[in-house]
Amino acid sequence: MENFLLWGFYFLTFYAFLPGIISRTFGFRVFKEGRAKKEIALTFDDGPDPIYTPQLLDLLKRYDAKATFFVVGIHAERHPELLKRMHDEGHVIGIHNYVHKSNWLMRPSTVKKQIHRTSEIIRKTTGVRSAYYRPPWGIVNLFDFSNLGYLQIILWSSLFGDWRKRVGAERLQKRIMKKLRPGEVLLLHDCGQTFGADEDAPANMLKALEPVLEAGKERGYKFVHITDMIAITDKNKAAAPSFSLLKRAIIACWMGWERVFHVLFRVKSGGEGAIFHYRIIPYGGKTIELEDGRRIEPKDPVVELHFDNQKLLGMMAESKSMMHVAIRLIREVQHGMPKLAKKLMEDEAAGTVKGLYGVSMINRGAEQFGFSVLPIPKGLFDKSTRIYLKLLLRVLHPSGKQRLAEQGARLEPRIIAMSMAEFWHRYGQDTKLAREWKASAAKADTKRNTGAHNSMTPGTFDNANAAAGEAAP
């Protein structure tokens, strides 16, 4: 019995678990995220539904948005008029098995029959054979890669739990807004008639989706079906330097670790689409003397800044030089600082912090945003930081090794820091928290003028802007 269970475990590992992990982590033989500047791919699973799919099609039509529908064959068979409408209105139809059942629980021949049956339903209704397949729950087995070579397997970059009614429209909208950025393949559901789903959950999805479409329109984004997203991605990949298979594997592991780090150490987003993440911690280094006369002392609470390495990866992959990276980074920081201010205004813990603090190799030009740029004190932290950041550059940039060889001496990590009084002066809106900081700074100014030292003492605010050329390493 023990041997039987052991062999069963081995079979399941190679038949299902490993293919699933490899496809999700490394994108092997699947498409799960695009490379685009304005486009976002909307995908909907489990339909068509006679109540919610027509409402969804009406909504997409109002915003001139295109989508990909991965239909369950048994539902499509009952509502061919909805398939025809999807096709006639310019959407793409994909296959999601004939019944919503995991490929892990079916033999390869059964999976093949399910797909063929659903494909025939689509062909007879629309006159076109589907080229795309999304396995239920995104689960593939070992034979899917070989048996389904004529189909492109489509997974996703973001899903939101919208099959559960208790998520609610408001929370669902916030979740989607966080992922509203070019290249994303968003997974939603237009039908709740599958195992584990709530039948009326799509009502919340429709309520959440309309403001998302409105926000996307305001930002200049375009919602496209998967055919367009793949074509745009292929074009952008051809124009950009490519990563080797080994480097892609390293990047996937690195990004995976970053996600784990954010959870373990409670790193927060710096705002929708912002370049920054942050956490509030006690400062653990030596005293920092800032340009405005203030100090950050050991154990002072600070906002520790972290760049979004996924965004940096995109910049570096698309940029021809480190100068181009630096210029793009300056623009991202310019847009990101007001977003960070808004987030900190909403964060109760931010009321006690003394300043912002971070370490970066791409630091020239940071002064124009109010940061003091300072050398890292010599020691173990300095050495380990240099190794980490140069390794990061080598991994993230397609020609990172060459960049380090050419400009390694100029890519020196530095501390970038700013007092909260300076931060609120530059980026704070007229809110209670910002007014409290400014009042505190005014009192500290009075103390300094009478000779008393205070780490909150305001100095002269230097608004001089560094030229974009000076900002590049």
Side-chain angles (χ1 to χ4, degrees), residues 44-247:
F44 298 91
D45 284 7
D46 298 355
D49 182 278
I51 297 174
Y52 298 112
T53 303
Q55 295 179 50
L56 174 59
L57 290 168
D58 291 343
L59 178 60
L60 295 173
K61 191 173 185 178
R62 285 204 301 274
Y63 285 90
D64 192 27
K66 303 304 177 188
T68 308
F69 290 86
F70 290 95
V71 299
V72 174
I74 195 170
H75 297 159
E77 200 168 37
R78 293 170 183 162
H79 304 287
E81 75 285 355
L82 292 177
L83 283 191
K84 189 174 187 308
R85 184 179 170 188
M86 290 173 189
H87 176 73
D88 290 347
E89 294 182 3
H91 304 292
V92 167
I93 302 173
I95 300 165
H96 202 43
N97 283 358
Y98 182 75
V99 295
H100 199 279
K101 190 175 181 181
S102 170
N103 289 12
W104 285 7
L105 304 176
M106 294 189 289
R107 293 175 298 175
S109 60
T110 306
V111 174
K112 197 170 183 178
K113 288 176 182 177
Q114 291 241 351
I115 291 171
H116 178 72
R117 189 172 179 181
T118 306
S119 179
E120 280 299 299
I121 293 167
I122 296 169
R123 184 191 65 79
K124 288 177 181 178
T125 306
T126 66
V128 178
R129 283 196 180 275
S130 178
Y132 304 107
Y133 174 58
R134 174 176 284 163
W137 296 291
I139 295 171
V140 294
N141 65 46
L142 181 62
F143 297 98
D144 287 342
F145 296 129
S146 57
N147 286 348
L148 308 178
Y150 62 97
L151 293 172
Q152 171 66 62
I153 298 175
I154 306 294
L155 297 183
W156 58 85
S157 59
S158 299
L159 78 166
F160 310 98
D162 64 310
W163 59 89
R164 291 294 176 88
K165 184 179 178 180
R166 67 170 180 262
V167 172
E170 186 177 347
R171 185 159 38 145
L172 180 58
Q173 179 189 334
K174 289 179 180 178
R175 289 181 180 181
I176 303 173
M177 289 296 292
K178 288 180 180 178
K179 298 293 183 178
L180 194 64
R181 56 196 179 201
E184 290 283 342
V185 178
L186 306 181
L187 167 57
L188 295 163
H189 297 78
D190 62 325
C191 180
Q193 298 179 33
T194 53
F195 177 75
D198 295 326
E199 191 170 347
D200 50 356
N204 286 332
M205 182 275 292
L206 291 168
K207 290 178 184 175
L209 183 60
E210 182 161 12
V212 169
L213 292 173
E214 185 66 40
K217 184 178 179 181
E218 290 174 358
R219 297 180 191 182
Y221 296 157
K222 185 178 181 182
F223 294 96
V224 299
H225 52 58
I226 206 67
T227 301
D228 283 351
M229 180 59 79
I230 291 174
I232 291 163
T233 299
D234 289 344
K235 182 179 178 180
N236 289 335
K237 282 183 176 178
S242 61
F243 293 105
S244 68
L245 181 61
L246 175 61
K247 184 167 276 194

Side-chain angles (χ1 to χ4, degrees), residues 257-270:
W257 159 243
E258 183 170 88
R259 287 191 288 271
V260 172
F261 177 88
H262 284 190
V263 173
L264 290 178
F265 296 97
R266 299 180 181 179
V267 179
K268 303 176 183 179
S269 168

Side-chain angles (χ1 to χ4, degrees), residues 7 11 64 73 83 177 277 280 304 335 337 390 423 441 455 459:
W7 280 107
F11 174 77
D64 192 27
L83 283 191
M177 289 296 292
H277 296 288
I280 296 174
E304 183 183 74
H335 294 304
M337 293 299 280
K390 290 190 176 183
F423 177 76
S455 62

